[in-house]
Amino acid sequence: MTAINKKTVDDLKVSGKRVLVRCDFNVPLKAGVITDENRIVAALPTIKKLINDGAKVILCSHLGKPKGEPKPELSLAPVAKRLSELLGKDVVFAADDNVVGENAKAAVAAMNDGDVVLLQNTRYRAEETKNVATFSEELGSLADIFVNDAFGAAHRAHCSTVGVVDYVDEAAVGYLIGKELKFLGGAVDAPERPFVCILGGAKVADKLLVIENLLNKADTLIIGGGMAYTFLKCQGAQVGKSLVDDEKLDYCKEMLEKAKEKGVEILLPVDNVAAKEFPNPIDAEIETKVFPSFEIASDWEGLDIGPKTAEIYAEAVKSAKTVVWNGPMGVSENPCLANGTISVAKALADTDAVTIIGGGDSAAAVNNLGYGDKMSHISTGGGASLEFLEGKELPGIAAMDDK
């Protein structure tokens, strides 16, 4: 799935038209203060383009999981305030608990060309996540044109991502989705080779389809994080108390055989940083010890890749032309267990390859370490980028008009 055949904001004539834009403003808040505004900043190019072209810009998004009822702590009011500052113009916040209420209708009716209105959290409505036609129709009643620029929610068929399309004249993707598809689509469909994929995270089960799909595309597959221990155990390794999915041992064996048949190199940890217990709280200082991968003591659990593995993985990245990374190499929230993730991030920052970070924890790690600007692309959608790498069609993109 690439963006080539979908209408984009550049194909629209929006002057004087009401344009509803689905953004991804699902930002972290602490006591009503936004702690990471990356997703808001990522939405600005599309919003500015529509303002400059004379559209009446109506923004909508979800925030957190209010589960179909109004929760003041999940209001989009702080986002409206920050957007006003970033755009240098007033963003009117329509504070309706039913999202499309009297405030929203009055605010939209009063709009001049180039004005911006932000609706309340779409998930205040229980219908949103069930894609119920009545709420889709309410959203559509505010607009002539719909633009989806929320890649982080593109894998969900909700009212504000898919359902609303039936109640507007035109539907197109925004610049952010276009950029995501250019990088992720390019990597999956026509990567410059050697193509290296780095997969981490806790559970093999979460990455089954990704591994399967990437075995048909990658030259090298690097595996770290908790999921590595199931791969090690299926080869007879003693992995101590490390996280293992015993139901997936045969699957891992099968994948290793498949890789051999296809000539794809799979790299697994040769050593591991282990602890006697999982840290509690997660960032607590703990005693660690390095074990060879096949000989982790019975009362220790592997929680990060070891120093030798970090070197091998960094070396494998050096010759790559395209690298996709999804998932940390260990419990990266803990300073004692973050070195594996740090070394991979550093290796990616130092390479000339096209580097694509697949959202979620790996994106957070790269940004926290200050390497964000060294990456070609950091995806704004963890779940969406994962489903894209699995080869799935994303409903929020599929529903847009073809060119």
Side-chain angles (χ1 to χ4, degrees):
M1 180 198 284
T2 59
I4 313 303
N5 63 338
K6 290 295 176 189
K7 242 183 217 180
T8 75
V9 278
D10 289 326
D11 301 314
L12 301 171
K13 291 193 168 36
V14 298
S15 180
K17 299 271 181 74
R18 300 169 305 157
V19 182
L20 179 69
V21 187
R22 174 55 156 100
C23 301
D24 182 5
F25 294 147
N26 186 23
V27 292
L29 291 170
K30 253 191 189 153
V33 177
I34 298 162
T35 57
D36 178 351
E37 60 182 41
N38 279 335
R39 286 178 169 176
I40 299 175
V41 172
L44 294 176
T46 296
I47 297 168
K48 285 177 176 171
K49 155 84 175 159
L50 293 168
I51 292 170
N52 293 339
D53 287 359
K56 295 168 174 153
V57 185
I58 304 143
L59 307 173
C60 69
S61 174
H62 78 284
L63 172 60
K65 294 181 177 171
K67 306 217 166 128
E69 55 182 282
K71 295 213 168 126
E73 68 277 16
L74 295 176
S75 166
L76 282 171
V79 174
K81 183 171 177 286
R82 188 65 189 121
L83 266 175
S84 298
E85 293 161 3
L86 290 166
L87 291 168
K89 66 181 293 155
D90 194 30
V91 172
V92 175
F93 181 55
D96 294 310
D97 285 349
N98 60 346
V99 187
V100 184
E102 294 315 309
N103 291 320
K105 289 171 189 168
V108 171
M111 289 178 93
N112 294 313
D113 296 355
D115 282 354
V116 184
V117 167
L118 174 63
L119 304 181
Q120 183 54 284
N121 189 338
T122 55
R123 288 195 191 168
Y124 274 16
R125 291 283 292 267
E127 301 97 321
E128 159 76 328
T129 55
K130 300 181 180 80
N131 196 14
V132 177
T134 46
F135 183 43
S136 300
E137 190 173 2
E138 286 174 43
L139 287 167
S141 73
L142 297 175
D144 308 299
I145 297 170
F146 175 64
V147 171
N148 191 359
D149 210 21
F151 183 74
H155 59 313
R156 309 279 189 213
H158 291 171
C159 294
S160 67
T161 58
V162 171
V164 65
V165 172
D166 292 336
Y167 302 98
V168 291
D169 302 331
E170 285 183 279
V173 298
Y175 288 137
L176 178 61
I177 282 186
K179 186 179 176 221
E180 293 277 5
L181 294 185
K182 177 187 157 209
F183 279 101
L184 284 168
V188 172
D189 297 336
E192 209 182 324
R193 295 185 182 279
F195 175 28
V196 176
C197 289
I198 306 168
L199 293 176
K203 298 177 191 150
V204 175
D206 293 346
K207 304 272 161 83
L208 291 183
L209 295 167
V210 180
I211 294 167
E212 218 156 310
N213 194 34
L214 292 178
L215 273 183
N216 297 316
K217 301 174 188 289
D219 299 298
T220 303
L221 210 49
I222 293 176
I223 292 177
M227 61 190 280
Y229 299 105
T230 307
F231 277 94
L232 290 167
K233 189 175 176 181
C234 83
Q235 297 175 84
Q238 302 295 317
V239 295
K241 293 195 300 185
S242 307
L243 185 69
V244 169
D245 186 342
D246 287 316
E247 286 178 15
K248 298 290 182 285
L249 290 168
D250 289 343
Y251 169 85
C252 289
K253 221 178 236 170
E254 199 185 305
M255 287 303 113
L256 292 170
E257 280 159 21
K258 212 183 219 180
K260 206 177 268 178
E261 279 165 30
K262 290 179 181 289
V264 175
E265 186 179 24
I266 290 192
L267 296 180
L268 291 164
V270 295
D271 60 346
N272 299 271
V273 176
K276 288 207 162 179
E277 297 295 339
F278 194 88
N280 183 17
I282 201 157
D283 56 356
E285 200 175 321
I286 49 166
E287 183 201 347
T288 60
K289 198 170 168 182
V290 177
F291 288 94
S293 281
F294 276 65
E295 300 161 25
I296 298 174
S298 61
D299 55 344
W300 289 70
E301 64 178 303
L303 296 170
D304 190 19
I305 58 171
K308 278 190 192 138
T309 305
E311 269 175 46
I312 294 166
Y313 287 7
E315 197 57 41
V317 165
K318 272 184 192 165
S319 57
K321 288 276 187 282
T322 307
V323 185
V324 171
W325 178 22
N326 188 295
M329 297 291 98
V331 184
S332 57
E333 303 92 332
N334 188 304
C336 312
L337 304 165
N339 288 334
T341 300
I342 292 168
S343 61
V344 167
K346 192 173 182 329
L348 264 60
D350 292 342
T351 178
D352 295 329
V354 172
T355 48
I356 300 155
I357 313 301
D361 293 335
S362 13
V366 165
N367 284 324
N368 293 342
L369 293 164
Y371 294 134
D373 58 344
K374 300 269 199 315
M375 305 300 158
S376 312
H377 180 62
I378 297 178
S379 178
T380 52
S385 65
L386 208 52
E387 290 201 13
F388 195 90
L389 294 173
E390 287 172 4
K392 285 184 183 169
E393 183 175 77
L394 303 181
I397 295 164
M400 299 304 107
D401 296 348
D402 293 330
K403 279 197 174 174

